[in-house]
Amino acid sequence: MSQIRNVAVLGSTGSIGRAAIDVLQRLRNTHRVTAISCHSQLDLLESQIGLVQPRYAIVTKGMADSERTSWQGVQHRESPATERLVGSDAIIDLVGGTEVDTVIGAIVGVAGLESALEAVRTGKRLALANKESLVVAGSLIMPMAERTNAEVLPVDSEHSAIFQCLQSPQGTKDLRRIILTGSGGPLRDWPIDKLSEASVEDALSHPTWKMGKKITVDSATMMNKALEVIEAKWLFGLKADQIQVVIHPQSVIHSMVEYRDASVIAQMSPPDMRLPIQYALTYPDREHASSPAIDWGTPMQLNWKPVDPERYPCLALGFEVAERGGTCGAVLNAANEACVEQFLDRKIRLTDIAKICRIILNEHHYSPSPDLAELLRLDRWSREEVHRWIKTA
Ligand code: NDP
Ligand code: MG
């Protein structure tokens, strides 16, 4: 790569954001961290400012005038090279401007949608971890990327795996299906009739990945894989029936593609998000590893098994939404986000998440080709419905 890439890490204080900063530290010859953002973890953002000295640091949570003045005052004393900005609009201005050419979308939830859209609208490289934006608005993002020549490159490990498997000249020609792997989450060996008793702590103890709370709960319900089915549909232009999910407890095979002659190509590496983050940054080149390689001198067993639909009712929702499209993704995503918050607040049980999402998806007024305003309106409606359902249940 001849030119230095200017990267904005949105959500730099999260699990993906921190891994991205680590990767970018090693890619200093080719990449510069131009901007970082957090929502509320100011202390961590401060230490990242010290570490990478970005041109801009942005905080998106609402700040009282006094808090804002005091935070921006630090700039003059400690890190004058970093301009401190407040609010989501500052992210949009920056992403849409000319100072950034690569955006790492690592904000969690639909809060990451607007910046993803802006990156695509202005023809940037979008290294996308924030799967929710494709779930909600893949029908807007992918056609827009075609028009603007924006690159939407997956950071989600399964989708990075598929993307890597498709790099041969064969590509998607004669593709029969893709197989997304999932660990099965922290409760995969629990008796099904005990799942309703799972505590927040049980749901947050993931066996193979260390991630943010929302995606870890999504992993326990397998809503994460449901969202990934929808994400894969948009990224690779697939139909729902070309996507299969298997449980693979070791999280070493990150996903596979199967061609019509029954040949299967898999991508493997130890579970570490730094690899897919790095690949989305350096593609089409490969750089020296930021993460450990498989130790071929150590015996290892790889297993997989089909998903039990009774244990993971969320997965069927993902396939249904991938098939129906339209407004379904926005409704499912918002219902799930609201349910996960309620579960983390100990207001509902883990097993209520699938039930509530199913009811709200069934109840909504479906439309096949919504615009952004309608998607955002349904996002709000779904959240209100979750709260109404919980109050009246
Ligand atoms: P985290 O919760 O660890 O981090 C979320 C980041 O988003 C933080 O920087 C947080 O700021 C910021 N943020 C939270 N709310 C807002 C908001 N309203 N507006 C702007 N920024 C906000 O999440 P993860 O890193 O685990 O996940 C990020 C995304 O990546 C998700 O979409 C997830 O599905 C996806 N992903 C994650 C994987 C993982 O291994 N973690 C794997 C594959 C995909 P603050 O810290 O200040 O709260
Ligand atoms: Mg994933």
Side-chain angles (χ1 to χ4, degrees), residues 160-212:
S160 174
I162 301 291
F163 183 64
Q164 293 181 57
C165 292
L166 293 175
Q167 287 309 306
S168 75
Q170 178 86 32
T172 52
K173 186 172 170 293
D174 299 329
L175 184 77
R176 184 194 277 167
R177 64 182 140 200
I178 65 167
I179 302 103
L180 300 177
T181 55
S183 68
L187 310 175
R188 65 184 174 221
D189 297 322
W190 280 40
I192 293 183
D193 59 3
K194 293 269 179 261
L195 288 175
S196 62
E197 294 165 25
S199 68
V200 170
E201 291 71 24
D202 294 327
L204 287 180
S205 54
H206 198 281
T208 45
W209 296 101
K210 181 97 192 66
M211 310 180 284

Short mmCIF file of all heavy atoms in Angstrom, two decimals, residues 160-212:
data_model
loop_
_atom_site.label_atom_id
_atom_site.label_comp_id
_atom_site.label_asym_id
_atom_site.label_seq_id
_atom_site.Cartn_x
_atom_site.Cartn_y
_atom_site.Cartn_z
N SER A 160 -15.87 -12.21 7.79
CA SER A 160 -14.50 -12.08 7.30
C SER A 160 -14.04 -13.43 6.74
O SER A 160 -13.40 -13.50 5.69
CB SER A 160 -13.56 -11.62 8.43
OG SER A 160 -12.23 -11.64 7.97
N ALA A 161 -14.40 -14.50 7.45
CA ALA A 161 -14.03 -15.85 6.97
C ALA A 161 -14.63 -16.12 5.59
O ALA A 161 -13.93 -16.57 4.68
CB ALA A 161 -14.50 -16.90 7.97
N ILE A 162 -15.92 -15.83 5.45
CA ILE A 162 -16.58 -16.06 4.15
C ILE A 162 -15.91 -15.20 3.08
O ILE A 162 -15.61 -15.67 1.98
CB ILE A 162 -18.09 -15.70 4.23
CG1 ILE A 162 -18.80 -16.53 5.30
CG2 ILE A 162 -18.77 -15.84 2.86
CD1 ILE A 162 -18.94 -17.99 5.01
N PHE A 163 -15.67 -13.94 3.44
CA PHE A 163 -15.04 -13.01 2.49
C PHE A 163 -13.68 -13.55 2.06
O PHE A 163 -13.32 -13.52 0.88
CB PHE A 163 -14.91 -11.65 3.19
CG PHE A 163 -14.34 -10.56 2.34
CD1 PHE A 163 -15.01 -10.12 1.21
CD2 PHE A 163 -13.13 -9.96 2.68
CE1 PHE A 163 -14.48 -9.09 0.42
CE2 PHE A 163 -12.60 -8.94 1.90
CZ PHE A 163 -13.27 -8.51 0.76
N GLN A 164 -12.92 -14.09 3.01
CA GLN A 164 -11.60 -14.65 2.68
C GLN A 164 -11.75 -15.90 1.82
O GLN A 164 -10.99 -16.10 0.87
CB GLN A 164 -10.82 -14.96 3.96
CG GLN A 164 -10.44 -13.70 4.73
CD GLN A 164 -9.66 -14.00 5.99
OE1 GLN A 164 -8.60 -14.64 5.93
NE2 GLN A 164 -10.15 -13.55 7.13
N CYS A 165 -12.72 -16.75 2.15
CA CYS A 165 -12.92 -17.98 1.36
C CYS A 165 -13.33 -17.66 -0.08
O CYS A 165 -13.09 -18.45 -0.99
CB CYS A 165 -14.01 -18.85 1.99
SG CYS A 165 -13.56 -19.57 3.57
N LEU A 166 -13.96 -16.52 -0.28
CA LEU A 166 -14.45 -16.16 -1.63
C LEU A 166 -13.41 -15.40 -2.46
O LEU A 166 -13.71 -14.93 -3.55
CB LEU A 166 -15.72 -15.30 -1.51
CG LEU A 166 -16.97 -15.99 -0.94
CD1 LEU A 166 -18.11 -14.99 -0.77
CD2 LEU A 166 -17.40 -17.15 -1.83
N GLN A 167 -12.18 -15.30 -1.94
CA GLN A 167 -11.17 -14.49 -2.65
C GLN A 167 -10.59 -15.17 -3.88
O GLN A 167 -9.91 -14.54 -4.67
CB GLN A 167 -10.03 -14.09 -1.70
CG GLN A 167 -10.42 -13.01 -0.70
CD GLN A 167 -11.08 -11.81 -1.34
OE1 GLN A 167 -10.54 -11.21 -2.26
NE2 GLN A 167 -12.26 -11.47 -0.87
N SER A 168 -10.84 -16.47 -4.08
CA SER A 168 -10.31 -17.12 -5.28
C SER A 168 -11.09 -16.60 -6.50
O SER A 168 -12.18 -16.04 -6.34
CB SER A 168 -10.49 -18.63 -5.18
OG SER A 168 -11.85 -18.94 -5.40
N PRO A 169 -10.55 -16.79 -7.73
CA PRO A 169 -11.29 -16.34 -8.92
C PRO A 169 -12.69 -16.96 -9.00
O PRO A 169 -13.58 -16.41 -9.64
CB PRO A 169 -10.41 -16.80 -10.08
CG PRO A 169 -9.05 -16.99 -9.49
CD PRO A 169 -9.24 -17.36 -8.06
N GLN A 170 -12.87 -18.08 -8.34
CA GLN A 170 -14.18 -18.73 -8.32
C GLN A 170 -15.25 -17.83 -7.72
O GLN A 170 -16.40 -17.80 -8.17
CB GLN A 170 -14.06 -20.01 -7.48
CG GLN A 170 -15.33 -20.80 -7.32
CD GLN A 170 -15.52 -21.77 -8.45
OE1 GLN A 170 -14.56 -22.27 -9.00
NE2 GLN A 170 -16.76 -21.99 -8.81
N GLY A 171 -14.88 -17.08 -6.67
CA GLY A 171 -15.84 -16.19 -6.01
C GLY A 171 -17.13 -16.90 -5.64
O GLY A 171 -17.11 -18.00 -5.10
N THR A 172 -18.26 -16.27 -5.95
CA THR A 172 -19.56 -16.89 -5.61
C THR A 172 -20.11 -17.74 -6.76
O THR A 172 -21.22 -18.27 -6.66
CB THR A 172 -20.61 -15.81 -5.26
OG1 THR A 172 -20.65 -14.86 -6.33
CG2 THR A 172 -20.31 -15.11 -3.96
N LYS A 173 -19.32 -17.89 -7.85
CA LYS A 173 -19.80 -18.73 -8.97
C LYS A 173 -19.93 -20.18 -8.50
O LYS A 173 -19.01 -20.71 -7.88
CB LYS A 173 -18.80 -18.61 -10.12
CG LYS A 173 -19.25 -19.30 -11.37
CD LYS A 173 -18.30 -18.98 -12.53
CE LYS A 173 -18.57 -19.84 -13.73
NZ LYS A 173 -18.26 -21.25 -13.51
N ASP A 174 -21.03 -20.78 -8.77
CA ASP A 174 -21.32 -22.18 -8.39
C ASP A 174 -21.34 -22.40 -6.88
O ASP A 174 -21.18 -23.52 -6.39
CB ASP A 174 -20.32 -23.16 -9.03
CG ASP A 174 -20.36 -23.10 -10.55
OD1 ASP A 174 -21.45 -22.83 -11.09
OD2 ASP A 174 -19.31 -23.30 -11.19
N LEU A 175 -21.54 -21.32 -6.15
CA LEU A 175 -21.65 -21.46 -4.68
C LEU A 175 -22.97 -22.13 -4.34
O LEU A 175 -24.02 -21.74 -4.85
CB LEU A 175 -21.61 -20.06 -4.06
CG LEU A 175 -21.63 -20.00 -2.53
CD1 LEU A 175 -20.25 -20.35 -1.96
CD2 LEU A 175 -22.03 -18.60 -2.05
N ARG A 176 -22.91 -23.15 -3.48
CA ARG A 176 -24.16 -23.79 -3.07
C ARG A 176 -24.68 -23.11 -1.80
O ARG A 176 -25.83 -22.78 -1.67
CB ARG A 176 -23.94 -25.28 -2.82
CG ARG A 176 -25.23 -26.00 -2.47
CD ARG A 176 -24.98 -27.37 -1.91
NE ARG A 176 -24.77 -28.37 -2.94
CZ ARG A 176 -24.28 -29.58 -2.68
NH1 ARG A 176 -23.92 -29.91 -1.46
NH2 ARG A 176 -24.11 -30.44 -3.66
N ARG A 177 -23.78 -22.94 -0.85
CA ARG A 177 -24.20 -22.28 0.39
C ARG A 177 -22.99 -21.84 1.19
O ARG A 177 -21.85 -22.25 0.89
CB ARG A 177 -25.04 -23.23 1.25
CG ARG A 177 -24.27 -24.43 1.73
CD ARG A 177 -25.15 -25.37 2.52
NE ARG A 177 -24.83 -26.74 2.17
CZ ARG A 177 -25.62 -27.77 2.37
NH1 ARG A 177 -26.80 -27.61 2.91
NH2 ARG A 177 -25.25 -28.98 2.01
N ILE A 178 -23.25 -21.03 2.20
CA ILE A 178 -22.21 -20.73 3.18
C ILE A 178 -22.64 -21.35 4.50
O ILE A 178 -23.83 -21.53 4.76
CB ILE A 178 -21.99 -19.20 3.33
CG1 ILE A 178 -23.23 -18.50 3.91
CG2 ILE A 178 -21.60 -18.57 2.01
CD1 ILE A 178 -22.95 -17.07 4.37
N ILE A 179 -21.65 -21.68 5.30
CA ILE A 179 -21.94 -22.28 6.60
C ILE A 179 -21.32 -21.38 7.66
O ILE A 179 -20.09 -21.25 7.75
CB ILE A 179 -21.37 -23.73 6.72
CG1 ILE A 179 -21.95 -24.61 5.60
CG2 ILE A 179 -21.69 -24.33 8.09
CD1 ILE A 179 -21.03 -24.88 4.46
N LEU A 180 -22.19 -20.73 8.43
CA LEU A 180 -21.72 -19.87 9.51
C LEU A 180 -21.56 -20.73 10.76
O LEU A 180 -22.47 -21.50 11.10
CB LEU A 180 -22.74 -18.77 9.81
CG LEU A 180 -23.10 -17.80 8.69
CD1 LEU A 180 -24.18 -16.82 9.15
CD2 LEU A 180 -21.87 -17.03 8.21
N THR A 181 -20.42 -20.59 11.43
CA THR A 181 -20.23 -21.34 12.67
C THR A 181 -20.56 -20.44 13.86
O THR A 181 -20.40 -19.22 13.81
CB THR A 181 -18.77 -21.83 12.80
OG1 THR A 181 -17.90 -20.70 12.70
CG2 THR A 181 -18.43 -22.84 11.74
N GLY A 182 -21.00 -21.09 14.93
CA GLY A 182 -21.27 -20.35 16.17
C GLY A 182 -20.87 -21.23 17.34
O GLY A 182 -21.03 -22.45 17.28
N SER A 183 -20.36 -20.60 18.39
CA SER A 183 -19.87 -21.40 19.52
C SER A 183 -21.02 -22.07 20.28
O SER A 183 -20.82 -23.05 20.98
CB SER A 183 -19.10 -20.50 20.49
OG SER A 183 -20.01 -19.61 21.09
N GLY A 184 -22.21 -21.51 20.16
CA GLY A 184 -23.33 -22.01 20.96
C GLY A 184 -23.50 -21.22 22.24
O GLY A 184 -24.47 -21.40 22.98
N GLY A 185 -22.52 -20.35 22.52
CA GLY A 185 -22.64 -19.45 23.68
C GLY A 185 -22.41 -20.14 25.01
O GLY A 185 -22.18 -21.35 25.08
N PRO A 186 -22.50 -19.36 26.08
CA PRO A 186 -22.15 -19.87 27.41
C PRO A 186 -23.13 -20.91 27.96
O PRO A 186 -22.78 -21.63 28.89
CB PRO A 186 -22.18 -18.61 28.30
CG PRO A 186 -22.97 -17.60 27.54
CD PRO A 186 -22.82 -17.92 26.09
N LEU A 187 -24.33 -21.00 27.41
CA LEU A 187 -25.34 -21.89 28.01
C LEU A 187 -25.59 -23.11 27.13
O LEU A 187 -26.61 -23.77 27.27
CB LEU A 187 -26.64 -21.11 28.22
CG LEU A 187 -26.47 -19.76 28.94
CD1 LEU A 187 -27.78 -19.01 28.99
CD2 LEU A 187 -25.91 -19.96 30.34
N ARG A 188 -24.66 -23.38 26.22
CA ARG A 188 -24.93 -24.41 25.21
C ARG A 188 -25.13 -25.80 25.82
O ARG A 188 -25.78 -26.65 25.22
CB ARG A 188 -23.82 -24.45 24.15
CG ARG A 188 -22.49 -24.86 24.70
CD ARG A 188 -21.39 -24.80 23.66
NE ARG A 188 -20.11 -25.07 24.29
CZ ARG A 188 -18.98 -24.44 24.02
NH1 ARG A 188 -18.97 -23.48 23.11
NH2 ARG A 188 -17.88 -24.76 24.64
N ASP A 189 -24.56 -26.05 27.02
CA ASP A 189 -24.71 -27.37 27.62
C ASP A 189 -25.75 -27.40 28.74
O ASP A 189 -25.88 -28.41 29.43
CB ASP A 189 -23.34 -27.85 28.16
CG ASP A 189 -22.34 -28.00 27.02
OD1 ASP A 189 -22.75 -28.43 25.92
OD2 ASP A 189 -21.15 -27.64 27.20
N TRP A 190 -26.44 -26.30 28.96
CA TRP A 190 -27.48 -26.28 30.00
C TRP A 190 -28.69 -27.09 29.56
O TRP A 190 -29.04 -27.08 28.38
CB TRP A 190 -27.96 -24.85 30.25
CG TRP A 190 -27.08 -24.02 31.12
CD1 TRP A 190 -25.72 -23.98 31.12
CD2 TRP A 190 -27.52 -23.08 32.11
NE1 TRP A 190 -25.28 -23.07 32.05
CE2 TRP A 190 -26.36 -22.50 32.67
CE3 TRP A 190 -28.75 -22.66 32.57
CZ2 TRP A 190 -26.42 -21.54 33.67
CZ3 TRP A 190 -28.82 -21.70 33.56
CH2 TRP A 190 -27.65 -21.15 34.11
N PRO A 191 -29.37 -27.76 30.51
CA PRO A 191 -30.65 -28.38 30.14
C PRO A 191 -31.61 -27.29 29.64
O PRO A 191 -31.65 -26.20 30.22
CB PRO A 191 -31.16 -28.97 31.47
CG PRO A 191 -29.99 -28.98 32.39
CD PRO A 191 -29.03 -27.95 31.93
N ILE A 192 -32.36 -27.59 28.59
CA ILE A 192 -33.23 -26.56 27.99
C ILE A 192 -34.21 -26.00 29.02
O ILE A 192 -34.47 -24.80 29.05
CB ILE A 192 -33.97 -27.13 26.77
CG1 ILE A 192 -32.94 -27.43 25.67
CG2 ILE A 192 -35.02 -26.15 26.25
CD1 ILE A 192 -33.51 -27.93 24.37
N ASP A 193 -34.74 -26.87 29.89
CA ASP A 193 -35.76 -26.37 30.83
C ASP A 193 -35.16 -25.51 31.95
O ASP A 193 -35.89 -24.98 32.77
CB ASP A 193 -36.60 -27.52 31.40
CG ASP A 193 -35.75 -28.55 32.12
OD1 ASP A 193 -34.52 -28.33 32.23
OD2 ASP A 193 -36.29 -29.56 32.60
N LYS A 194 -33.84 -25.38 31.98
CA LYS A 194 -33.22 -24.49 32.98
C LYS A 194 -32.85 -23.12 32.40
O LYS A 194 -32.44 -22.21 33.13
CB LYS A 194 -31.92 -25.14 33.53
CG LYS A 194 -32.13 -26.38 34.35
CD LYS A 194 -32.29 -26.02 35.82
CE LYS A 194 -32.53 -27.23 36.68
NZ LYS A 194 -33.90 -27.49 37.04
N LEU A 195 -32.96 -22.99 31.08
CA LEU A 195 -32.49 -21.74 30.45
C LEU A 195 -33.22 -20.49 30.97
O LEU A 195 -32.65 -19.42 31.05
CB LEU A 195 -32.65 -21.82 28.92
CG LEU A 195 -31.66 -22.75 28.21
CD1 LEU A 195 -31.99 -22.84 26.72
CD2 LEU A 195 -30.21 -22.27 28.39
N SER A 196 -34.48 -20.69 31.37
CA SER A 196 -35.24 -19.52 31.85
C SER A 196 -34.69 -19.02 33.19
O SER A 196 -35.00 -17.92 33.61
CB SER A 196 -36.72 -19.89 31.99
OG SER A 196 -36.85 -20.91 32.94
N GLU A 197 -33.88 -19.84 33.84
CA GLU A 197 -33.30 -19.41 35.13
C GLU A 197 -31.93 -18.77 34.98
O GLU A 197 -31.31 -18.37 35.97
CB GLU A 197 -33.15 -20.64 36.06
CG GLU A 197 -34.48 -21.24 36.47
CD GLU A 197 -34.31 -22.64 37.06
OE1 GLU A 197 -33.21 -22.95 37.58
OE2 GLU A 197 -35.28 -23.42 36.98
N ALA A 198 -31.43 -18.68 33.75
CA ALA A 198 -30.07 -18.14 33.55
C ALA A 198 -29.98 -16.69 34.05
O ALA A 198 -30.82 -15.86 33.71
CB ALA A 198 -29.71 -18.21 32.07
N SER A 199 -28.98 -16.42 34.85
CA SER A 199 -28.80 -15.06 35.38
C SER A 199 -27.99 -14.24 34.36
O SER A 199 -27.43 -14.77 33.39
CB SER A 199 -28.03 -15.11 36.70
OG SER A 199 -26.70 -15.54 36.43
N VAL A 200 -27.90 -12.95 34.63
CA VAL A 200 -27.08 -12.07 33.80
C VAL A 200 -25.64 -12.58 33.79
O VAL A 200 -24.99 -12.66 32.74
CB VAL A 200 -27.17 -10.62 34.32
CG1 VAL A 200 -26.14 -9.73 33.64
CG2 VAL A 200 -28.57 -10.07 34.12
N GLU A 201 -25.15 -12.97 34.94
CA GLU A 201 -23.76 -13.44 35.05
C GLU A 201 -23.57 -14.72 34.21
O GLU A 201 -22.55 -14.87 33.54
CB GLU A 201 -23.38 -13.72 36.51
CG GLU A 201 -23.28 -12.48 37.39
CD GLU A 201 -24.64 -11.83 37.69
OE1 GLU A 201 -25.66 -12.54 37.64
OE2 GLU A 201 -24.66 -10.61 37.96
N ASP A 202 -24.55 -15.63 34.27
CA ASP A 202 -24.44 -16.87 33.47
C ASP A 202 -24.35 -16.51 31.98
O ASP A 202 -23.51 -17.05 31.25
CB ASP A 202 -25.69 -17.75 33.66
CG ASP A 202 -25.81 -18.29 35.08
OD1 ASP A 202 -24.77 -18.55 35.71
OD2 ASP A 202 -26.96 -18.44 35.55
N ALA A 203 -25.21 -15.60 31.56
CA ALA A 203 -25.26 -15.26 30.13
C ALA A 203 -24.01 -14.52 29.68
O ALA A 203 -23.67 -14.53 28.50
CB ALA A 203 -26.50 -14.43 29.84
N LEU A 204 -23.33 -13.88 30.63
CA LEU A 204 -22.16 -13.07 30.23
C LEU A 204 -20.84 -13.85 30.27
O LEU A 204 -19.79 -13.29 29.95
CB LEU A 204 -22.05 -11.82 31.11
CG LEU A 204 -23.10 -10.73 30.85
CD1 LEU A 204 -22.89 -9.54 31.77
CD2 LEU A 204 -23.08 -10.26 29.39
N SER A 205 -20.90 -15.12 30.68
CA SER A 205 -19.62 -15.85 30.78
C SER A 205 -19.37 -16.67 29.51
O SER A 205 -19.55 -17.88 29.50
CB SER A 205 -19.61 -16.75 32.01
OG SER A 205 -20.74 -17.59 31.96
N HIS A 206 -18.96 -15.99 28.46
CA HIS A 206 -18.78 -16.65 27.17
C HIS A 206 -17.55 -17.56 27.17
O HIS A 206 -16.49 -17.16 27.68
CB HIS A 206 -18.65 -15.61 26.04
CG HIS A 206 -18.89 -16.20 24.68
ND1 HIS A 206 -17.93 -16.91 24.02
CD2 HIS A 206 -19.99 -16.21 23.90
CE1 HIS A 206 -18.43 -17.33 22.86
NE2 HIS A 206 -19.68 -16.91 22.77
N PRO A 207 -17.67 -18.78 26.59
CA PRO A 207 -16.55 -19.72 26.66
C PRO A 207 -15.34 -19.37 25.79
O PRO A 207 -14.21 -19.68 26.16
CB PRO A 207 -17.16 -21.04 26.19
CG PRO A 207 -18.37 -20.67 25.38
CD PRO A 207 -18.85 -19.37 25.94
N THR A 208 -15.54 -18.74 24.64
CA THR A 208 -14.38 -18.54 23.74
C THR A 208 -14.09 -17.09 23.39
O THR A 208 -12.97 -16.75 23.02
CB THR A 208 -14.55 -19.33 22.41
OG1 THR A 208 -15.88 -19.15 21.93
CG2 THR A 208 -14.28 -20.80 22.59
N TRP A 209 -15.06 -16.20 23.45
CA TRP A 209 -14.84 -14.81 23.03
C TRP A 209 -15.04 -13.86 24.21
O TRP A 209 -15.95 -14.04 25.01
CB TRP A 209 -15.84 -14.40 21.94
CG TRP A 209 -15.73 -15.12 20.64
CD1 TRP A 209 -16.52 -16.15 20.22
CD2 TRP A 209 -14.80 -14.88 19.57
NE1 TRP A 209 -16.14 -16.54 18.95
CE2 TRP A 209 -15.09 -15.78 18.54
CE3 TRP A 209 -13.75 -13.97 19.39
CZ2 TRP A 209 -14.39 -15.82 17.34
CZ3 TRP A 209 -13.04 -14.00 18.20
CH2 TRP A 209 -13.35 -14.92 17.20
N LYS A 210 -14.21 -12.81 24.26
CA LYS A 210 -14.39 -11.75 25.27
C LYS A 210 -14.94 -10.54 24.52
O LYS A 210 -14.24 -9.91 23.74
CB LYS A 210 -13.02 -11.46 25.91
CG LYS A 210 -13.01 -10.41 26.97
CD LYS A 210 -13.06 -11.01 28.37
CE LYS A 210 -13.34 -9.96 29.44
NZ LYS A 210 -14.67 -9.35 29.37
N MET A 211 -16.21 -10.24 24.75
CA MET A 211 -16.87 -9.22 23.92
C MET A 211 -17.69 -8.29 24.79
O MET A 211 -17.83 -8.50 26.00
CB MET A 211 -17.81 -9.91 22.92
CG MET A 211 -17.18 -11.04 22.15
SD MET A 211 -18.31 -11.82 20.97
CE MET A 211 -19.36 -12.80 22.05
N GLY A 212 -18.27 -7.26 24.17
CA GLY A 212 -19.18 -6.36 24.88
C GLY A 212 -20.40 -7.13 25.38
O GLY A 212 -20.70 -8.23 24.92
#
